């Protein structure tokens, strides 16, 4: 290099980035102290993302430089309640997050019943038995030989199941995770109380709580899929009991496990097959509806059913959608 010539960055110096998703249920005596520690740790490492801490543990998604994320995982695991936390790695950068958000909340997943969730160092107390993807198949086959049917129970918001779900799954009528309590206490699912039930959700965290709440309410044989639909899909793609596409909490909105994925969703306008969600035209509303490619120009000008009804009732306040719901959606993977 000649004297005075600017130093050029070569391709080798381009840093690699990653995102990690993780959760750990463990008793936390002082969530505020853990929050401050996590905030400082992430700032020092230049990470962005969302972290929730409660008396029941921690749930987070953070992104940044590979070496920084590795260091974050190592240091987080070094805190004894978080020992053994499993980090799921994926491609992505800190830029996918608007900022670093570290919050203390009553629950890691907002079922609205923090006092009903009990944890010890091993995790949630009284949750459903964890099944690896292969064990799901073993269970279904073993029960079949006894003439008993295994029921898949969707632990997500009903909207997510519109584009993908387990075969013959029961999909509760839920707009948010808070609705599960009303659903479970309604008696609608009491016929499943003496049946084998397998709960599933995107990455497994919602089922950790849901399966325990179900057992508390008299469901006798409850299982949950370890790592959720994501882990199951990695193993069986579209050749098992899963059908359709997976709703995901990032800009993609939907993802598929293989080219064989079925399209289960229907355009709200013309009923054509589609897996693409669009936001309601109301600025404050986070409701998503399915539209096909031909009708995809419509949602930019059309409100969802809820907003249409609200505007009809209160014509003076056109943009008052539920911002709270949007925040919940963003944090309940
Ligand atoms: Zn259409
Ligand atoms: Zn709306």
């Amino acid at each position: 290099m000649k004297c005075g010539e600017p130093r050029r960055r070569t391709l080798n110096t381009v840093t690699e980035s990653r995102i990690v998703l993780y959760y750990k249920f463990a008793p936390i005596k002082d969530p505020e102290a853990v929050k401050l520690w996590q905030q400082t740790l992430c700032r020092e490492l230049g990470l962005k993302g969302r972290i929730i801490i409660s008396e029941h543990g921690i749930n987070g998604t953070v992104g940044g430089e590979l070496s920084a994320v590795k260091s974050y995982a190592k240091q987080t695991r070094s805190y004894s309640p978080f020992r053994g936390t499993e980090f799921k790695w994926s491609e992505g950068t800190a830029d996918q997050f608007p900022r670093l958000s570290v919050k203390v909340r009553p629950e890691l997943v907002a079922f609205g019943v923090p006092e009903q969730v009990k944890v010890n160092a091993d995790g949630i107390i009284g949750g459903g038995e964890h099944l690896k993807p292969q064990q799901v198949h073993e269970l279904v086959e073993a029960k079949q030989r006894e003439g008993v049917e295994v029921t898949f129970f969707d632990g997500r918001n009903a909207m997510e199941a519109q584009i993908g779900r387990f075969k013959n799954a029961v999909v509760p009528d839920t707009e948010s995770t808070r609705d599960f309590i009303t659903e479970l206490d309604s008696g609608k699912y009491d016929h499943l109380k003496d049946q084998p039930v397998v709960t599933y959700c995107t990455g497994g965290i919602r089922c950790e709580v849901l399966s325990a709440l179900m057992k508390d309410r008299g469901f006798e044989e409850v299982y949950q899929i370890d790592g959720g639909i994501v882990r199951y899909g990695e193993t069986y793609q579209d050749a098992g009991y899963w059908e359709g596409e997976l709703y995901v909490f990032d800009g993609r909105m939907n993802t598929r496990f293989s080219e064989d994925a079925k399209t289960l969703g229907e355009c709200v306008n013309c009923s054509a097959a589609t897996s693409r969600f669009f936001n309601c035209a109301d600025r404050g509303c986070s409701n998503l509806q399915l539209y096909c490619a031909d009708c995809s120009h419509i949602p930019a000008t059309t409100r969802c059913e809820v907003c249409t009804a609200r505007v009809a009732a209160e014509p003076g306040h056109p943009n008052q959608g539920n911002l709270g719901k949007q925040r919940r959606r963003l944090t309940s993977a």
Side-chain angles (χ1 to χ4, degrees):
M1 187 163 73
K2 277 185 209 150
C3 196
E5 191 176 291
R7 184 186 285 264
R8 278 208 192 96
R9 285 199 144 211
T10 65
L11 273 178
N12 293 337
T13 64
V14 171
T15 50
E16 268 187 273
S17 295
R18 287 290 188 283
I19 286 177
V20 281
L21 285 82
Y22 63 93
Y23 67 81
K24 176 79 175 173
F25 284 96
I28 304 299
K29 286 203 187 80
D30 189 350
E32 287 294 338
V34 172
K35 171 190 158 173
L36 292 176
W37 162 57
Q38 283 281 312
Q39 233 165 16
T40 308
L41 180 60
C42 289
R43 283 191 190 135
E44 280 172 354
L45 293 167
L47 304 179
K48 286 204 251 174
R50 292 180 298 269
I51 298 169
I52 295 172
I53 295 145
S54 87
E55 288 178 2
H56 307 142
I58 189 168
N59 176 23
T61 312
V62 298
E65 281 184 18
L66 175 61
S67 60
V69 178
K70 274 186 181 167
S71 174
Y72 172 80
K74 192 176 170 198
Q75 292 189 60
T76 296
R77 275 199 199 110
S78 73
Y79 178 57
S80 63
F82 300 156
R83 193 171 293 150
T85 302
E86 205 181 307
F87 288 85
K88 285 175 197 141
W89 294 78
S90 61
E91 302 291 327
T93 69
D95 301 337
Q96 281 173 246
F97 303 99
R99 68 185 82 81
L100 172 68
S101 157
V102 187
K103 290 199 169 114
V104 171
R105 292 260 175 85
E107 296 169 284
L108 292 186
V109 191
F111 280 87
V113 287
E115 70 292 348
Q116 292 180 27
V117 180
K118 302 275 182 279
V119 299
N120 64 21
D122 298 323
I124 295 242
I125 299 171
E129 190 181 324
H130 287 87
L131 298 179
K132 294 196 170 17
Q134 293 88 338
Q135 293 175 312
V136 173
H137 286 239
E138 286 162 19
L139 176 77
V140 171
E141 285 152 22
K143 294 289 174 184
Q144 241 161 21
R145 287 193 289 274
E146 295 169 24
V148 174
E149 194 160 340
V150 171
T151 301
F152 289 101
F153 195 91
D154 204 304
R156 304 171 298 162
N157 302 333
M159 173 216 78
E160 299 172 58
Q162 286 175 12
I163 61 167
R165 52 194 176 259
F166 275 84
K167 281 176 189 160
N168 302 318
V170 167
V171 179
D173 185 14
T174 48
E175 253 186 65
S176 80
T177 305
R178 284 169 198 276
D179 296 332
F180 274 103
I181 297 299
T182 325
E183 280 290 289
L184 290 176
D185 292 342
S186 71
K188 272 189 214 175
Y189 311 107
D190 283 1
H191 61 286
L192 297 173
K193 285 188 169 170
D194 59 355
Q195 301 289 312
V197 175
V198 177
T199 68
Y200 65 89
C201 62
T202 314
I205 186 169
R206 288 181 275 187
C207 289
E208 296 273 6
V209 182
L210 175 63
S211 64
L213 295 172
M214 290 177 78
K215 286 181 69 179
D216 256 4
R217 284 163 173 75
F219 292 82
E220 289 163 12
E221 199 179 346
V222 185
Y223 304 88
Q224 56 182 320
I225 303 181
D226 221 9
I229 302 161
V230 170
R231 174 85 55 82
Y232 183 89
E234 285 166 4
T235 310
Y236 286 99
Q237 289 86 39
D238 294 290
Y241 301 123
W242 171 258
E243 273 185 342
E245 300 203 22
L246 174 62
Y247 178 82
V248 288
F249 296 82
D250 59 38
R252 296 171 298 165
M253 291 228 235
N254 56 297
T255 181
R256 43 172 57 193
F257 294 117
S258 79
E259 287 312 304
D260 300 329
K262 284 188 188 171
T263 305
L264 301 186
E266 280 187 9
C267 173
V268 292
N269 190 54
C270 75
S271 300
T274 182
S275 295
R276 283 204 65 195
F277 283 106
F278 290 83
N279 272 303
C280 165
D282 191 295
R283 278 181 287 120
C285 178
S286 61
N287 280 345
L288 296 168
Q289 299 197 101
L290 291 166
Y291 287 94
C292 72
D294 288 343
C295 300
S296 63
H297 61 285
I298 295 177
T301 56
T302 307
R303 292 190 174 93
C304 70
E305 272 177 41
V306 179
C307 291
T308 305
R310 189 192 65 246
V311 171
E314 292 180 81
H317 307 279
N319 274 312
Q320 288 189 332
N322 187 347
L323 286 168
K325 185 173 8 182
Q326 187 163 20
R327 283 199 297 274
R328 283 207 298 281
R329 286 237 168 98
L330 286 170
T331 53
S332 60

